[in-house]
Amino acid sequence: MIRLFLLGLSVLLAAGCGGSDSSAPAGSGDLVRVSIDKKNADRLLAYYFGGYASSAGADPFETGLLQRVDGSVFLDRSAFAALHPGMVAALDPIASDGDLGWKELVDFFQATYYDARNVPTSLATLETEAGFTPESGWFEVAADGVMTVARRHVFVPEPALREAIAQYKARDEQVLYPIGTTVFGRHQQGEEILETTVMRKRDDGYWDYFTYDQAGQLAAATSTEPRALKTPTQCAGCHLGSRPFEPERSFPAEAADGPHGPRAIYVPAALRNGEIVSFFDEHRKRSDTLLGLYATLYTAELVAQREAGTLSQEDADLLNALGI
């Protein structure tokens, strides 16, 4: 009887500990080691696996999709299979040795990310969902930079931009956009739209990245020169990093041309306001991982309107809240 009791007790203890048992070796049971040799590994794990943990985006450790065991990180295959049964066929071949390296993960994310995020396959559908009408209610910035030789026309919804500015001081001087904010970037040659990149903010504070081709269909990468950029892995690589980019780095001064052409932000001279640039320090701080100067330029436009005597009272209140 005592022997049976002890045996039963050991089974109950094992069941209670489950995949979180710190003595579990790499690859034990349904735990697959995740090996990322990156200085910002935790942030990358939170971003990528957070997109698989919930349709809205969630902390993958809090949901149990990822677990820490003796200082290592493991993916719970059973938890993943329960969330994404249709993706197990893509996961199992690369997880069969009990270890997921970074290169394997990049290929896996490229193959499954859009499905995990339930991204509309049509740009028209996404534009409708976001209420994208560039003629009204969207702040537009045109720029040439390092991402593409095409001119980028970026559209940020004004209500989201104004909220980020209004809450700037309350949020420890960070430009943070509301959950669900969608930003469109059209890559153009003249009036011809060659492709469109999109960022949409998740509930966990990270952004999803989408690319649509010239026909408005979902694409795995950009296609314009100087090189194709994979979505989302190369998008996240820049946005979650710390490297400053031109022409934002030099603004309000003009940036020098790059190896593939001009690098410039096309705005009126009145918006090249050095005081506002310094006030937000937007590109260097990249508080919300948007790399543009949208809050800076929008606020500089309001300051220019005030100097011209055309500023509305609502906009004056917004500047007063900033102390500008």
Side-chain angles (χ1 to χ4, degrees):
M1 290 294 292
I2 294 176
R3 184 178 180 182
L4 288 174
F5 171 78
L6 291 175
L7 179 61
L9 180 60
S10 66
V11 171
L12 287 172
L13 288 173
C17 293
S20 298
D21 183 1
S22 61
S23 65
S28 173
D30 275 341
L31 295 184
V32 182
R33 185 189 298 273
V34 177
S35 304
I36 299 184
D37 186 20
K38 301 276 186 181
K39 63 180 180 181
N40 59 341
D42 284 350
R43 197 178 194 193
L44 291 172
L45 289 171
Y47 167 68
Y48 284 111
F49 284 106
Y52 292 80
S54 165
S55 60
D59 188 315
F61 291 97
E62 291 182 0
T63 61
L65 184 61
L66 294 181
Q67 299 182 29
R68 294 191 188 276
V69 180
D70 288 343
S72 296
V73 175
F74 293 84
L75 171 67
D76 188 319
R77 181 195 172 282
S78 293
F80 182 88
L83 289 167
H84 306 286
M87 297 179 192
V88 172
L91 175 65
D92 282 353
I94 62 172
S96 60
D97 63 351
D99 190 274
L100 289 170
W102 178 240
K103 186 179 184 305
E104 293 173 315
L105 284 170
V106 166
D107 292 342
F108 175 74
F109 296 143
Q110 285 297 135
T112 62
Y113 167 80
Y114 280 155
D115 287 338
R117 303 307 305 136
N118 195 27
V119 182
T121 57
S122 164
L123 176 61
T125 300
L126 182 59
E127 289 178 341
T128 299
E129 289 180 358
F132 181 47
T133 53
E135 298 79 12
S136 176
W138 294 73
F139 184 65
E140 180 182 358
V141 177
D144 285 320
V146 298
M147 180 182 178
T148 172
V149 297
R151 183 158 299 174
R152 285 173 54 79
H153 291 259
V154 180
F155 298 86
V156 183
E158 284 193 30
L161 184 51
R162 291 177 68 89
E163 180 177 332
I165 293 170
Q167 297 297 318
Y168 177 71
K169 288 199 169 181
R171 293 173 175 166
D172 297 324
E173 298 189 347
Q174 298 181 86
V175 177
L176 299 175
Y177 293 86
I179 300 302
T181 298
T182 307
V183 177
F184 292 85
R186 289 177 169 175
H187 297 183
Q188 296 185 207
Q189 286 183 344
E191 296 300 315
E192 184 181 14
I193 301 172
L194 304 179
E195 62 192 3
T196 302
T197 58
V198 183
M199 295 178 63
R200 184 169 65 187
K201 193 170 184 181
R202 305 186 323 212
D203 283 9
D204 60 1
Y206 289 101
W207 296 77
D208 282 325
Y209 307 95
F210 319 141
T211 297
Y212 292 89
D213 62 20
Q214 190 168 19
Q217 296 302 302
L218 200 58
T222 61
S223 59
T224 51
E225 297 292 339
R227 65 190 179 109
L229 296 173
K230 295 179 181 178
T231 310
T233 54
Q234 288 182 297
C235 304
C238 290
H239 283 271
L240 296 180
S242 58
R243 176 186 173 188
F245 295 95
E246 293 289 16
E248 291 81 6
R249 180 175 62 180
S250 294
F251 195 85
E254 299 282 358
D257 287 353
H260 303 288
R263 297 182 291 188
I265 299 175
Y266 300 100
V267 293
L271 271 60
R272 294 184 175 276
N273 187 323
E275 290 184 8
I276 305 302
V277 172
S278 298
F279 178 85
F280 285 109
D281 198 12
E282 190 173 1
H283 184 65
R284 186 187 65 81
K285 286 163 67 172
R286 63 216 295 165
S287 303
D288 213 354
T289 69
L290 263 70
L291 303 181
L293 299 171
Y294 312 116
T296 299
L297 295 172
Y298 189 85
T299 302
E301 185 173 77
L302 298 185
V303 170
Q305 291 174 11
R306 183 173 63 188
E307 292 175 352
T310 59
L311 189 68
S312 69
Q313 185 57 52
E314 183 181 14
D315 290 341
D317 292 342
L318 186 59
L319 292 180
N320 290 334
L322 288 171
I324 294 176

